[in-house]
Amino acid sequence: MIKVGIIGATGYAGAELVRILSRHKEVEIKWYGSRSYVDEKYASVYRNMFEIVEDQCLDDNIEELADQVDVIFTATPQGFLGGILNEELLSKTKFIDLSADYRIKDVDIYEQWYKIKHQSPQLIKEAVYGLCEINRNQVTKATRLIANPGCYTTCSILTAYPLVKEGLIDPATLIVDAKSGTSGAGRGAKVPNLFCEVNENMKAYGVASHRHTPEIEEQLGYAAGSKVTINFTPHLVPMNRGILATEYASLVRKADGSLPTEQEIRAVYEKYYKDEYFVRVLPKGECPETKWVEGSNYVDINFVIDERTGRIIMMGALDNLVKGAAGQAVQNMNLMFGFDEKEGLELVPCFP
Amino acid sequence: MIKVGIIGATGYAGAELVRILSRHKEVEIKWYGSRSYVDEKYASVYRNMFEIVEDQCLDDNIEELADQVDVIFTATPQGFLGGILNEELLSKTKFIDLSADYRIKDVDIYEQWYKIKHQSPQLIKEAVYGLCEINRNQVTKATRLIANPGCYTTCSILTAYPLVKEGLIDPATLIVDAKSGTSGAGRGAKVPNLFCEVNENMKAYGVASHRHTPEIEEQLGYAAGSKVTINFTPHLVPMNRGILATEYASLVRKADGSLPTEQEIRAVYEKYYKDEYFVRVLPKGECPETKWVEGSNYVDINFVIDERTGRIIMMGALDNLVKGAAGQAVQNMNLMFGFDEKEGLELVPCFP
Amino acid sequence: MIKVGIIGATGYAGAELVRILSRHKEVEIKWYGSRSYVDEKYASVYRNMFEIVEDQCLDDNIEELADQVDVIFTATPQGFLGGILNEELLSKTKFIDLSADYRIKDVDIYEQWYKIKHQSPQLIKEAVYGLCEINRNQVTKATRLIANPGCYTTCSILTAYPLVKEGLIDPATLIVDAKSGTSGAGRGAKVPNLFCEVNENMKAYGVASHRHTPEIEEQLGYAAGSKVTINFTPHLVPMNRGILATEYASLVRKADGSLPTEQEIRAVYEKYYKDEYFVRVLPKGECPETKWVEGSNYVDINFVIDERTGRIIMMGALDNLVKGAAGQAVQNMNLMFGFDEKEGLELVPCFP
Amino acid sequence: MIKVGIIGATGYAGAELVRILSRHKEVEIKWYGSRSYVDEKYASVYRNMFEIVEDQCLDDNIEELADQVDVIFTATPQGFLGGILNEELLSKTKFIDLSADYRIKDVDIYEQWYKIKHQSPQLIKEAVYGLCEINRNQVTKATRLIANPGCYTTCSILTAYPLVKEGLIDPATLIVDAKSGTSGAGRGAKVPNLFCEVNENMKAYGVASHRHTPEIEEQLGYAAGSKVTINFTPHLVPMNRGILATEYASLVRKADGSLPTEQEIRAVYEKYYKDEYFVRVLPKGECPETKWVEGSNYVDINFVIDERTGRIIMMGALDNLVKGAAGQAVQNMNLMFGFDEKEGLELVPCFP
């Protein structure tokens, strides 16, 4: 039984951490950090937890918290952890950061896309990018700091990764058109996120400028072995949860000019994901749907080859709050502490 | 480890049984019955179960099924189980019926509201009405047949039960205005249940004629010790899951003409529900919301006294597919077989 | 062609005024008042009006505005108009107030329910309650000030009015269970109105304390000829527009103890609404649905008699932003200025 | 005043024709054709039309209908009009076909994508493709037969047309990722279109095989002056109305290797759409949203240049039932009969 603290426990990702960890057999939550609701009962802020969580919200006293717990999850705005993390804290406890502060290795790119001066760039190198299906070994060995991947990025990367890694698609042609439920926008009170503004509406946003772009590019660049530049367009969908990524790329033709076959592509996906519990490559002909993974840590993936254009259309679906945030953070924790990777995460998707 | 069969496994309530039972430690599902999808993989019908359930759907061969399993759940249309159940089947296995066939003790009332001739009225008497919080003893002792309560009825009854039982409200004044998500209408392909017909829409239906009315009346009649006649009005809400019951009744004044106080009413709710894991009486001032119980077996209850009119407004919220159907059925199974009543049901509500 | 000013033009009701008035043949909007968006293009705040409205938002300079226009619509928070209106302003222009400031004749009741000290109680008496179907003569004669009814109240009153007026129901038994789309909550950025909080959720609020209660009671009291006290419970529904009121009351039995018949009740509704363009009494058996009136100025009404309980269930549906706010305000303006009552309001409901 | 008949008046597109034409000053609807609801009152099928339309639905007697009206709208399944249309009918009345039967000039491509044998291929050549903003002259001159464009196609084509026509993008790189509300799936009772299946869900469908692909390719091919092959991926969104097309293409670099500028691109859009009432090119930085055009005949368009990849992201939004179906059909009728092109179509988008 380890002790856990959550900073940002009353945001949507933080609340999802509470939901998952409250049923995790190896964990006890000791600290529900929330600047906005200090001293209020957690269950009065998230009433789904009524009679499940009895604690009150606490302020973000990171020093005190670090002394008390074995791991701290930070579900906080960009720049928060980067601004306070240091050797002393890291010597006391482990950190799993759900923000972007330690995800991007090139601090210039981070500062350019996030418009934030990084306060602890010296720690970036140590941070392990916690995309378990790709970096499991490093995560398992990580002793102090995990950079938990973004929601769009987890979906976008896992969907294309095997084909990039094996050189089956041309990364320069990659276009990711992603659609997200509204919980991705957080619980801040803003007019564009009001029910009446989102319901019965569909829009793109952050076109050619969304911050998850360089994160996808960096990780796919490692897979490709060279710099990758892509188009990434997020869209807001009138639903609570779920991300669907529709990805387009030109297939690399064989020497004889022919395209890779359905079977060949499928074999590559199998190679990477056959033993991955949380990645489900669907049978031919079935398109991933966000509802089929809702509430779970699964990513559903499939693809269609378009012979006419020589492109492949890859599709991935996940729950942005689970595999795209809190579930993946718990998966990282499980690996770091040597627990069963699935502990607390055998959540069956809820339908309808 | 007991063996379980489900008839009607591809309806929404059946699918919820599969979701819950797939993580139940004492249970193995042996039979996924579905007339409409015989020989199809269950996971191709409900793709949330992909890589979780490997079985195919089977026809409704009740004789064969009864030989193989310890309990059969029937999530079937009204009249189905009533038409086939007999002593021989009951001697082989237990039945938990999610339809209304054995809920109403007075067969005339059943036939009048359901417009169905009951084919096995001799079995009604034996059936135990499986509202665990009220009939726990009988359920625990039930050896053969449970009539699992309806979704509206579970919500409506639990919300008013303590006050009816203790004589604090006048049952003749009881009005239940209930609102349900659309999964209550089932998975049948009908125009009124199409997305475009339900979305951005709100309506009453079955006004003064809905079949759950006599079921509520019978059970509250037992509590009141006399015949109860109520108004019950269901409404269709553009959401997947959830029932909210808003109930109105005149408070019985004390000898001095005063109304019962907030504390007195609350004490009565405490008396009945303090130790009930799945019933949460909310703190004063908080109204139940369906979202806070979604995906869980909880019922959230609260009330407001209106001094001006002398009425009490009681409110209850549950997930119609869990506490209103499959969750309650599993709770009944747990009691019948002597398992921990909460096994498989410690589902944390999913928000948002 | 008259000149019109709108204060509060960037709230949802104000925007609906703009939508309707932009196609009104007798009207030119001269002033788009909005404190929050002064000097911004109106069409950049409400982009549906792009290339339709070219004006910029102006501050709330009521003195200047009163000199320029023939009528001012105030779609403003409670207390705003009450705090600034005076004889001088009323001598210059007409006012149609969409807030509650002049709706309730008894200033004590207003102050008690709204927790606001009324700043101009001497003007309340003059104000005409602008429920056109009931007060058409007074509205037509109104020279200076209309109190435009609330959304819940318009629906609740019109649904029950004929039966109260004709003494067919006992007003002391009246219970109004109302359900509203989320636009009724306004465009303010508040957590409870975020998409993720409202979607897939249903709740009651303001139970036994909602401010529209005394407004309904006052108007139905005029109809009954005596003081009326009711229960009114509003609910929030995950949809943008629409109010559905489900109303319960005991029918007054005839001398022989029998209930009024379906035909008798229907005849009373016909008597009051047969010639009312905006009130549609539906054929027997059809329940009003909010979607069927969306975007229009219609109220759809119907009822069911429950012989078992002696109660009648009345149902009414309208679009809270049209007949419940802006549409009714325009209808009032049309009557005040002698225009065709339907001008600008022959909006066909949009389905689906 | 012309006389109009509608075949398929009880589908969603047919009902939208009724909504629009019921307020059109030059038109009288004489025939509400609906095989499924013969002899039922139209207003009992579409209750929004209660007290607006008094007629009953009639069978599809095309011979009789052709004698009675000046123009017939066919909002019917693929193959219907193709199977019955002939010279005799065309000699009696005009046809505006909302199906795909006469949209594609190459009958082989039609038969290949639609899996239907075309029964009247000799009439295809005469049919005018009724995309008014592009083919206004031909539509104006059309005497007998208009092929009304598809919903996805109208949006996809108008969004990219100016840049294809002017050679600013490479058509071989064009990828259209489109998102549609559920009314596009029609009113047929099918499980995948049930509320509970669509709500809280997002999916692609018809990947690399959707029938609107060749229609887009043909029309953009005319603009490009050469054969165009694209990727087109439709998605189903949990909303009633609206299509959003997000389109990606490589910009054609200038001789000096530089990309076209924002101003240059904008000038090209202006050139084509400046005088188009129903096309609104938004100010820089504003992304089209479906809600801002809902219920109207507008298409909102904008674009973002991505200097990093050399691609342009074009976005277009329309209401699939209006500009994507019925509204455009009425626009075509207006042009054919010499009415004001905007008559009946000055519908202000309804927000929220």
Side-chain angles (χ1 to χ4, degrees):
Chain A
M1 204 78 161
I2 62 168
K3 290 170 183 163
V4 162
I6 302 169
I7 303 190
T10 55
Y12 287 143
E16 192 72 354
L17 276 169
V18 173
R19 179 174 82 96
I20 294 171
L21 292 174
S22 68
R23 291 290 181 259
H24 193 290
K25 285 179 208 139
E26 310 282 358
V27 156
E28 184 186 10
I29 306 178
K30 298 296 286 182
W31 192 288
Y32 297 82
S34 171
R35 281 188 185 168
S36 311
Y37 296 98
V38 174
D39 293 341
E40 287 190 47
K41 283 200 70 169
Y42 188 80
S44 76
V45 184
Y46 279 91
R47 287 201 260 150
N48 53 328
M49 305 313 290
F50 185 61
E51 296 187 354
I52 300 173
V53 173
E54 297 298 334
D55 301 65
Q56 291 184 312
C57 296
L58 300 173
D59 205 348
D60 301 343
N61 189 333
I62 195 81
E63 303 292 342
E64 189 185 332
L65 173 53
D67 285 332
Q68 293 185 14
V69 298
D70 300 294
V71 59
I72 295 173
F73 293 93
T74 45
T76 43
Q78 317 307 333
F80 174 86
L81 189 61
I84 60 165
L85 196 60
N86 55 38
E87 277 297 328
E88 195 195 335
L89 287 168
L90 282 169
S91 70
K92 292 182 181 173
T93 189
K94 298 179 200 299
F95 284 85
I96 299 175
D97 180 27
L98 280 74
S99 88
D101 286 1
Y102 300 100
R103 290 181 194 153
I104 295 172
K105 293 298 171 195
D106 184 333
V107 70
D108 293 339
I109 288 181
Y110 172 88
E111 295 185 342
Q112 176 188 325
W113 287 79
Y114 284 85
K115 323 281 186 215
I116 293 174
K117 176 78 184 155
H118 204 299
Q119 302 297 316
S120 51
Q122 74 285 358
L123 300 174
I124 297 177
K125 197 177 168 213
E126 174 183 354
V128 173
Y129 189 74
L131 191 44
C132 310
E133 285 74 15
I134 290 175
N135 288 343
R136 182 171 290 110
N137 283 343
Q138 292 161 265
V139 173
T140 305
K141 289 182 220 148
T143 50
R144 308 204 302 180
L145 179 56
I146 296 281
N148 204 58
C151 52
Y152 281 125
T153 41
T154 298
C155 194
S156 301
I157 293 167
L158 288 175
T159 300
Y161 178 79
L163 304 193
V164 173
K165 183 77 177 173
E166 297 286 323
L168 284 164
I169 57 176
D170 175 2
T173 65
L174 185 63
I175 291 170
V176 178
D177 189 285
K179 298 90 177 165
S180 175
T182 307
S183 59
R187 213 190 189 198
K190 294 172 186 164
V191 168
N193 298 335
L194 290 176
F195 182 83
C196 290
E197 310 282 318
V198 173
N199 187 41
E200 280 292 294
N201 200 2
M202 179 90 202
K203 66 171 176 184
Y205 65 98
V207 181
S209 62
H210 192 276
R211 295 161 165 193
H212 283 180
T213 311
E215 189 181 331
I216 302 169
E217 290 178 345
E218 182 178 312
Q219 295 298 322
L220 290 183
Y222 297 144
S226 61
K227 187 168 154 48
V228 166
T229 308
I230 66 163
N231 271 108
F232 169 69
T233 313
H235 296 75
L236 190 68
V237 183
M239 59 185 187
N240 285 359
R241 288 168 177 248
I243 284 178
L244 179 72
T246 313
E247 312 194 12
Y248 303 85
S250 294
L251 287 161
V252 174
R253 290 179 185 273
K254 302 180 199 173
D256 66 359
S258 68
L259 294 171
T261 64
E262 163 84 23
Q263 291 79 357
E264 288 165 343
I265 300 285
R266 197 159 290 277
V268 168
Y269 275 109
E270 288 292 310
K271 174 178 170 188
Y272 285 84
Y273 295 143
K274 191 179 59 223
D275 299 327
E276 290 297 341
Y277 183 83
F278 294 119
V279 181
R280 308 192 294 190
V281 181
L282 300 181
K284 186 179 175 183
E286 297 190 359
C287 291
E289 306 186 16
T290 60
K291 187 70 187 160
W292 296 121
V293 295
E294 191 172 319
S296 83
N297 203 46
Y298 291 113
V299 190
D300 281 3
I301 293 175
N302 214 346
F303 65 92
V304 173
I305 296 170
D306 188 349
E307 302 276 350
R308 301 166 67 247
T309 61
R311 292 193 194 102
I312 188 168
I313 300 97
M314 299 157 280
M315 294 161 283
L318 53 69
D319 184 322
N320 57 303
L321 293 178
V322 190
K323 185 61 179 169
Q328 183 143 266
V330 172
Q331 194 180 352
N332 276 308
M333 180 194 74
N334 287 342
L335 289 174
M336 281 178 102
F337 284 89
F339 304 145
D340 177 355
E341 187 173 342
K342 303 192 295 291
E343 173 51 36
L345 296 171
E346 293 185 271
L347 305 156
V348 184
C350 198
F351 184 93
Chain B
M1 203 78 162
I2 62 170
K3 290 170 183 163
V4 161
I6 302 169
I7 303 190
T10 55
Y12 288 143
E16 192 71 354
L17 276 169
V18 173
R19 179 174 83 94
I20 294 170
L21 292 174
S22 69
R23 290 291 181 258
H24 193 291
K25 284 179 206 135
E26 310 283 357
V27 155
E28 185 186 8
I29 306 179
K30 299 296 286 184
W31 192 287
Y32 297 82
S34 171
R35 281 189 184 166
S36 312
Y37 296 98
V38 175
D39 292 342
E40 286 190 48
K41 284 198 70 169
Y42 187 80
S44 76
V45 184
Y46 279 90
R47 287 201 260 149
N48 53 328
M49 305 313 290
F50 185 61
E51 295 188 355
I52 300 172
V53 173
E54 297 298 333
D55 302 65
Q56 292 182 311
C57 297
L58 299 174
D59 206 346
D60 300 343
N61 188 332
I62 195 80
E63 303 292 342
E64 190 184 333
L65 173 52
D67 285 333
Q68 293 186 15
V69 298
D70 300 294
V71 59
I72 295 173
F73 293 92
T74 44
T76 43
Q78 317 308 335
F80 174 85
L81 189 60
I84 60 166
L85 195 60
N86 55 37
E87 278 296 328
E88 195 194 336
L89 287 168
L90 283 170
S91 70
K92 292 181 181 175
T93 190
K94 299 177 198 302
F95 283 85
I96 298 175
D97 181 27
L98 281 75
S99 88
D101 287 0
Y102 300 99
R103 290 180 196 156
I104 295 173
K105 293 297 172 198
D106 184 333
V107 71
D108 292 339
I109 289 181
Y110 172 87
E111 295 185 343
Q112 175 187 327
W113 287 79
Y114 283 85
K115 323 278 187 218
I116 292 173
K117 175 79 185 155
H118 204 299
Q119 301 298 317
S120 52
Q122 75 285 359
L123 299 174
I124 296 176
K125 197 177 167 211
E126 172 182 355
V128 172
Y129 189 74
L131 191 44
C132 310
E133 284 74 15
I134 290 175
N135 290 342
R136 182 172 290 109
N137 282 344
Q138 291 161 266
V139 172
T140 305
K141 290 182 221 148
T143 49
R144 307 204 304 180
L145 178 57
I146 296 280
N148 204 59
C151 51
Y152 280 124
T153 40
T154 299
C155 194
S156 301
I157 294 168
L158 289 175
T159 300
Y161 178 78
L163 304 193
V164 173
K165 182 79 177 171
E166 298 284 323
L168 284 164
I169 56 176
D170 174 1
T173 63
L174 185 63
I175 291 171
V176 178
D177 190 286
K179 299 88 177 165
S180 174
T182 307
S183 59
R187 213 190 190 198
K190 294 173 187 163
V191 167
N193 297 335
L194 290 176
F195 181 83
C196 289
E197 310 283 318
V198 173
N199 187 41
E200 279 292 293
N201 200 2
M202 180 90 200
K203 65 171 177 185
Y205 66 98
V207 181
S209 61
H210 192 277
R211 296 162 166 193
H212 283 181
T213 310
E215 189 181 332
I216 302 169
E217 289 177 345
E218 181 177 312
Q219 295 298 322
L220 290 183
Y222 297 144
S226 61
K227 187 167 153 51
V228 167
T229 308
I230 66 164
N231 271 108
F232 170 69
T233 312
H235 296 76
L236 191 68
V237 183
M239 58 186 190
N240 286 359
R241 289 168 177 248
I243 284 179
L244 180 71
T246 313
E247 312 193 11
Y248 303 86
S250 294
L251 287 162
V252 174
R253 290 179 185 272
K254 301 182 200 174
D256 66 357
S258 67
L259 293 172
T261 64
E262 163 84 23
Q263 290 79 354
E264 287 164 345
I265 299 286
R266 198 160 290 278
V268 168
Y269 275 110
E270 287 293 310
K271 173 178 169 187
Y272 285 84
Y273 294 145
K274 191 180 59 224
D275 298 328
E276 290 297 339
Y277 183 83
F278 294 119
V279 181
R280 308 192 295 190
V281 181
L282 300 181
K284 186 179 177 184
E286 297 192 357
C287 292
E289 307 187 16
T290 60
K291 188 69 186 160
W292 296 120
V293 295
E294 190 171 319
S296 83
N297 203 47
Y298 291 115
V299 190
D300 281 4
I301 293 175
N302 214 345
F303 65 92
V304 173
I305 295 170
D306 189 349
E307 303 276 349
R308 300 167 67 249
T309 61
R311 294 194 192 99
I312 188 168
I313 300 98
M314 300 157 280
M315 295 162 280
L318 53 69
D319 184 322
N320 57 304
L321 293 178
V322 191
K323 184 61 179 169
Q328 183 143 268
V330 172
Q331 193 180 351
N332 277 308
M333 180 195 74
N334 287 343
L335 289 175
M336 282 179 101
F337 285 89
F339 304 144
D340 177 356
E341 187 172 341
K342 303 192 296 291
E343 173 53 36
L345 296 171
E346 293 185 273
L347 305 156
V348 184
C350 198
F351 184 94
Chain C
M1 203 76 162
I2 62 169
K3 289 170 184 163
V4 161
I6 302 170
I7 302 190
T10 56
Y12 287 144
E16 192 72 355
L17 276 169
V18 173
R19 179 175 83 96
I20 294 171
L21 292 174
S22 69
R23 291 292 180 258
H24 193 291
K25 285 180 205 135
E26 309 283 356
V27 155
E28 184 185 9
I29 306 178
K30 297 296 287 183
W31 191 289
Y32 298 82
S34 170
R35 283 187 185 168
S36 312
Y37 296 99
V38 174
D39 292 343
E40 286 190 48
K41 283 199 70 169
Y42 186 81
S44 76
V45 183
Y46 280 91
R47 287 201 260 149
N48 54 328
M49 306 312 291
F50 185 61
E51 297 187 354
I52 300 173
V53 173
E54 297 298 333
D55 302 63
Q56 291 183 314
C57 297
L58 300 174
D59 206 347
D60 301 342
N61 189 331
I62 195 81
E63 304 291 342
E64 190 184 333
L65 172 52
D67 285 334
Q68 292 186 15
V69 298
D70 300 293
V71 59
I72 294 173
F73 293 92
T74 45
T76 44
Q78 316 308 334
F80 174 85
L81 189 61
I84 60 167
L85 195 61
N86 55 37
E87 279 295 330
E88 194 194 336
L89 287 169
L90 282 170
S91 70
K92 291 182 179 174
T93 190
K94 298 177 200 303
F95 284 84
I96 298 175
D97 180 27
L98 281 74
S99 88
D101 286 0
Y102 300 99
R103 290 181 196 157
I104 294 173
K105 292 298 171 197
D106 184 333
V107 70
D108 292 338
I109 288 181
Y110 172 87
E111 295 185 344
Q112 175 188 327
W113 287 79
Y114 283 86
K115 324 281 185 214
I116 292 173
K117 175 81 185 151
H118 204 300
Q119 302 297 317
S120 52
Q122 73 285 359
L123 299 175
I124 296 177
K125 197 178 167 210
E126 171 181 356
V128 172
Y129 189 74
L131 191 45
C132 309
E133 284 73 15
I134 289 174
N135 289 342
R136 183 172 288 108
N137 283 343
Q138 291 160 266
V139 173
T140 305
K141 289 182 219 147
T143 49
R144 307 204 303 181
L145 178 57
I146 296 279
N148 204 58
C151 51
Y152 280 124
T153 40
T154 298
C155 194
S156 301
I157 294 168
L158 289 176
T159 300
Y161 178 78
L163 304 194
V164 173
K165 182 79 177 171
E166 298 284 323
L168 284 164
I169 57 175
D170 174 2
T173 64
L174 185 63
I175 290 171
V176 178
D177 190 285
K179 298 89 178 166
S180 174
T182 307
S183 59
R187 212 189 190 199
K190 294 173 187 163
V191 168
N193 298 334
L194 289 176
F195 181 83
C196 289
E197 309 282 319
V198 173
N199 188 40
E200 280 292 292
N201 200 3
M202 179 91 201
K203 66 172 177 186
Y205 66 98
V207 180
S209 61
H210 193 277
R211 295 162 165 191
H212 283 181
T213 310
E215 189 181 331
I216 302 170
E217 290 178 345
E218 181 177 314
Q219 295 298 322
L220 289 184
Y222 298 144
S226 61
K227 187 168 154 49
V228 167
T229 308
I230 66 164
N231 270 109
F232 169 69
T233 313
H235 296 76
L236 190 68
V237 184
M239 59 185 190
N240 286 359
R241 289 169 178 247
I243 284 178
L244 180 71
T246 313
E247 312 193 11
Y248 303 85
S250 293
L251 287 162
V252 174
R253 289 182 185 271
K254 301 181 201 173
D256 66 358
S258 67
L259 294 170
T261 65
E262 163 85 24
Q263 291 78 357
E264 287 164 344
I265 301 286
R266 198 160 289 279
V268 168
Y269 275 111
E270 288 291 312
K271 172 178 170 188
Y272 285 83
Y273 294 145
K274 191 180 59 224
D275 298 328
E276 289 297 340
Y277 183 83
F278 294 119
V279 180
R280 307 192 294 190
V281 180
L282 300 181
K284 187 180 175 183
E286 297 191 359
C287 291
E289 306 186 18
T290 60
K291 189 69 187 160
W292 296 121
V293 295
E294 190 171 319
S296 83
N297 203 47
Y298 290 114
V299 190
D300 280 3
I301 293 175
N302 214 345
F303 66 92
V304 173
I305 295 170
D306 188 349
E307 302 276 350
R308 300 166 66 249
T309 61
R311 293 194 192 98
I312 188 168
I313 300 99
M314 300 157 278
M315 295 162 281
L318 53 70
D319 184 322
N320 57 304
L321 293 178
V322 189
K323 184 61 179 171
Q328 184 143 269
V330 172
Q331 192 180 350
N332 277 309
M333 179 195 75
N334 287 342
L335 289 175
M336 280 178 102
F337 285 90
F339 303 146
D340 177 355
E341 186 172 341
K342 303 192 297 291
E343 173 53 35
L345 296 171
E346 294 185 273
L347 304 156
V348 184
C350 199
F351 185 94
Chain D
M1 204 77 162
I2 62 169
K3 289 170 184 163
V4 162
I6 301 168
I7 302 189
T10 55
Y12 288 143
E16 192 71 356
L17 276 168
V18 173
R19 179 175 82 96
I20 295 171
L21 293 173
S22 68
R23 291 291 181 257
H24 193 290
K25 285 180 205 135
E26 309 282 357
V27 156
E28 184 186 10
I29 306 179
K30 298 295 286 184
W31 191 287
Y32 297 82
S34 170
R35 281 188 186 170
S36 312
Y37 297 98
V38 174
D39 293 341
E40 287 190 46
K41 282 199 71 168
Y42 187 81
S44 75
V45 184
Y46 279 91
R47 287 201 261 150
N48 54 329
M49 306 313 290
F50 185 62
E51 298 188 353
I52 301 173
V53 173
E54 298 297 334
D55 301 65
Q56 291 183 312
C57 296
L58 300 174
D59 205 348
D60 301 343
N61 188 333
I62 195 83
E63 304 292 341
E64 190 183 333
L65 172 53
D67 285 333
Q68 292 185 15
V69 299
D70 300 293
V71 59
I72 294 173
F73 293 92
T74 45
T76 44
Q78 317 306 333
F80 174 85
L81 189 62
I84 60 166
L85 196 61
N86 55 37
E87 278 297 327
E88 196 194 335
L89 287 168
L90 283 170
S91 70
K92 291 181 180 175
T93 189
K94 298 178 199 302
F95 284 84
I96 298 175
D97 181 27
L98 279 75
S99 89
D101 287 1
Y102 300 100
R103 291 179 195 156
I104 295 172
K105 293 299 171 195
D106 184 333
V107 71
D108 292 338
I109 288 181
Y110 172 87
E111 295 184 344
Q112 176 187 327
W113 287 79
Y114 284 84
K115 323 282 186 214
I116 293 173
K117 176 79 184 155
H118 204 300
Q119 301 297 317
S120 52
Q122 75 285 358
L123 300 174
I124 297 176
K125 197 176 168 213
E126 173 182 355
V128 172
Y129 188 75
L131 191 44
C132 309
E133 284 74 15
I134 290 174
N135 289 343
R136 182 171 289 109
N137 282 344
Q138 291 160 267
V139 172
T140 306
K141 289 183 220 146
T143 49
R144 307 204 303 181
L145 178 56
I146 296 280
N148 204 60
C151 51
Y152 279 124
T153 41
T154 298
C155 194
S156 302
I157 294 168
L158 289 175
T159 301
Y161 179 79
L163 304 194
V164 173
K165 182 79 177 173
E166 298 284 324
L168 284 164
I169 57 175
D170 174 2
T173 64
L174 185 63
I175 291 171
V176 178
D177 189 286
K179 298 89 177 167
S180 175
T182 308
S183 60
R187 214 191 189 198
K190 294 172 187 164
V191 168
N193 297 335
L194 290 176
F195 181 83
C196 288
E197 309 283 318
V198 173
N199 188 41
E200 280 292 293
N201 201 3
M202 179 93 202
K203 66 172 177 184
Y205 65 98
V207 181
S209 62
H210 193 276
R211 296 163 165 190
H212 283 180
T213 311
E215 189 181 330
I216 302 168
E217 290 178 344
E218 182 178 313
Q219 295 298 322
L220 291 183
Y222 297 144
S226 61
K227 185 168 155 50
V228 167
T229 308
I230 67 163
N231 271 110
F232 169 70
T233 312
H235 296 76
L236 191 67
V237 183
M239 58 185 189
N240 285 359
R241 289 168 178 249
I243 284 178
L244 179 72
T246 314
E247 312 193 12
Y248 303 86
S250 293
L251 286 162
V252 175
R253 290 179 184 273
K254 302 181 198 173
D256 66 358
S258 67
L259 293 171
T261 64
E262 163 85 24
Q263 291 78 358
E264 287 165 344
I265 300 286
R266 198 160 288 279
V268 168
Y269 275 110
E270 288 291 310
K271 173 178 169 187
Y272 285 83
Y273 295 144
K274 191 179 59 226
D275 299 328
E276 290 298 339
Y277 183 83
F278 294 119
V279 181
R280 308 193 294 190
V281 181
L282 300 181
K284 187 179 174 181
E286 297 190 359
C287 291
E289 306 186 17
T290 59
K291 189 70 186 158
W292 296 120
V293 295
E294 190 172 319
S296 83
N297 202 48
Y298 290 115
V299 191
D300 280 4
I301 293 174
N302 214 345
F303 65 91
V304 173
I305 296 170
D306 188 350
E307 303 275 349
R308 299 166 69 249
T309 61
R311 293 194 193 100
I312 187 168
I313 300 98
M314 300 158 279
M315 295 161 281
L318 54 69
D319 184 323
N320 57 304
L321 293 178
V322 189
K323 185 60 179 172
Q328 183 142 268
V330 172
Q331 193 180 351
N332 277 309
M333 180 195 75
N334 287 342
L335 289 174
M336 281 178 101
F337 284 90
F339 304 144
D340 178 354
E341 187 173 342
K342 302 192 296 292
E343 172 53 35
L345 296 171
E346 292 184 275
L347 305 156
V348 183
C350 198
F351 185 94

